[in-house]
Amino acid sequence: MPSFSFSLIPVGVRFMLLSAFGFALMSACVKYISNYGIPVFEIIAARALVSLIISYVDVKRKGISIWGQNKPLLFVRGAVGTAALMCVYYAVTTLPLAEATILQYVHPIFTALLGVLFLKERIQQSTMICIAFCLAGLFVMVQPNMSSETANELPLFSIIIALCGAFGSSIAYVIVRKLSQTEDSSVIIFYFPLVALPISTLLIWNNFVWPSLFLTFLLVLVGIFTQIGQYGLTKAMQTQAAGKASAYSYVQIVLSALLGVWVFNEMPSVWTYLGGGLIVTGALINVFGKQLLAPFQAR
């Protein structure tokens, strides 16, 4: 029987799986820490501090400039990423882990709209199908909110914030793709905490809470896991098969659901399974749409 070799997995897929693993563990740590009264902005500041140190060491190790070539766009990426991160962390702390993660993956809708508005791109048929599936999935997930009698109701404000995080993430993905043409991945990653640290520190204001030694350790892990996720994502985006590799990022939904059950005793509702299934299906159609529709378009 032939043995499986890890080297057979495409490089882009490997990096995307690494990214999904890192971000899933990061989200679990954020939710766990917030349950002990640590404010979201404090978690973001701690995460940014750890990431800034690791990123600086990594850039210096490579012997390149930490400032990069396209400074304005790098700062914009950092600002957009910071805003998106705030939304994501708020959603993670106020929604079940599986639902918060699924809502992050509606970004193909926003990416397509951004392409039409700013890049004058034409929406492909596969992308239109993806948008339809994602919107249907969103409706299925939030429809319990229409009835106050259901026990599966999700906070509407948290859903809106989660969608704002997905919108910000889609902008950040587009900028990262652009920056990857001229900038080293470590420099791109460095600018994220460089912007996030001062902003989150100012927003903490008088709400700082001294964490215990254990929570401090978890705050450090948030930064480490985020760094792993950012590294995997940035490297995957630089590969030629970035589009196909992105399909494997949806492993994060499975990992987050499992962590939600195991760590937080969160059992996803049937609406989460159905809505999440529609969203993932739409996203996969967006990734592999050209190959799937090619036989029908050739006729």
Side-chain angles (χ1 to χ4, degrees):
M1 183 177 181
S3 59
F4 175 78
S5 175
F6 186 72
S7 62
L8 295 176
I9 302 177
V11 175
V13 173
R14 274 185 269 169
F15 279 122
M16 195 59 76
L17 290 175
L18 177 66
S19 174
F21 179 75
F23 284 135
L25 290 176
M26 175 271 294
S27 297
C29 287
V30 169
K31 189 172 186 68
Y32 189 90
I33 293 169
S34 69
N35 289 339
Y36 286 85
I38 305 297
V40 170
F41 293 131
E42 186 174 335
I43 299 174
I44 294 174
R47 166 247 191 265
L49 178 61
V50 174
S51 294
L52 187 65
I53 295 172
I54 296 175
S55 300
Y56 180 80
V57 172
D58 187 41
V59 172
K60 286 300 182 181
R61 178 185 61 83
K62 292 183 176 180
I64 58 179
S65 172
I66 60 175
W67 304 115
Q69 301 181 42
N70 194 341
K71 297 181 183 65
L73 192 57
L74 284 165
F75 272 110
V76 170
R77 184 268 182 271
V80 172
T82 299
L85 185 69
M86 292 177 180
C87 293
V88 170
Y89 276 18
Y90 180 83
V92 166
T93 59
T94 56
L95 290 170
L97 203 54
E99 281 83 343
T101 304
I102 290 173
L103 290 171
Q104 272 295 297
Y105 280 90
V106 301
H107 60 76
I109 297 178
F110 301 120
T111 303
L113 295 176
L114 288 172
V116 172
L117 294 175
F118 297 104
L119 302 178
K120 306 303 179 183
E121 294 178 347
R122 183 179 178 182
I123 298 183
Q124 298 178 354
Q125 187 176 358
S126 58
T127 304
M128 295 178 65
I129 297 174
C130 166
I131 292 175
F133 269 87
C134 287
L135 291 176
L138 276 176
F139 176 79
V140 169
M141 282 187 63
V142 305
Q143 68 85 27
N145 292 64
M146 300 176 185
S147 172
S148 59
E149 299 177 0
T150 178
N152 296 320
E153 182 178 353
L154 299 175
L156 185 58
F157 181 74
S158 297
I159 293 174
I160 294 173
I161 294 297
L163 293 177
C164 289
F167 178 65
S169 296
S170 67
I171 298 177
Y173 291 154
V174 172
I175 296 175
V176 167
R177 190 62 174 155
K178 177 67 175 178
L179 287 171
S180 296
Q181 299 173 5
T182 58
E183 309 291 344
D184 186 89
S185 60
S186 298
V187 175
I188 298 174
I189 295 173
F190 172 76
Y191 267 82
F192 198 163
L194 182 67
V195 177
L197 181 58
I199 292 178
S200 57
T201 301
L202 288 174
L203 290 174
I204 293 175
W205 200 243
N206 293 324
N207 295 322
F208 180 80
V209 176
W210 279 106
S212 65
L213 184 61
F214 177 64
L215 291 180
T216 301
F217 172 70
L218 289 181
L219 285 169
V220 173
L221 284 183
V222 168
I224 293 175
F225 288 142
T226 304
Q227 197 73 5
I228 292 173
Q230 286 287 343
Y231 174 77
L233 175 63
T234 305
K235 295 295 289 186
M237 293 290 282
Q238 290 179 326
T239 65
Q240 292 182 348
K244 291 184 179 180
S246 65
Y248 292 87
S249 67
Y250 290 85
V251 172
Q252 183 184 344
I253 294 177
V254 178
L255 294 174
S256 295
L258 293 174
L259 287 170
V261 173
W262 179 40
V263 180
F264 305 105
N265 295 318
E266 298 173 344
M267 291 301 297
S269 68
V270 63
W271 304 113
T272 297
Y273 286 116
L274 293 175
L278 288 170
I279 291 173
V280 172
T281 300
L284 293 177
I285 290 175
N286 187 48
V287 173
F288 299 105
K290 289 183 179 180
Q291 296 92 315
L292 293 173
L293 296 175
F296 301 96
Q297 294 173 342
R299 294 177 181 177

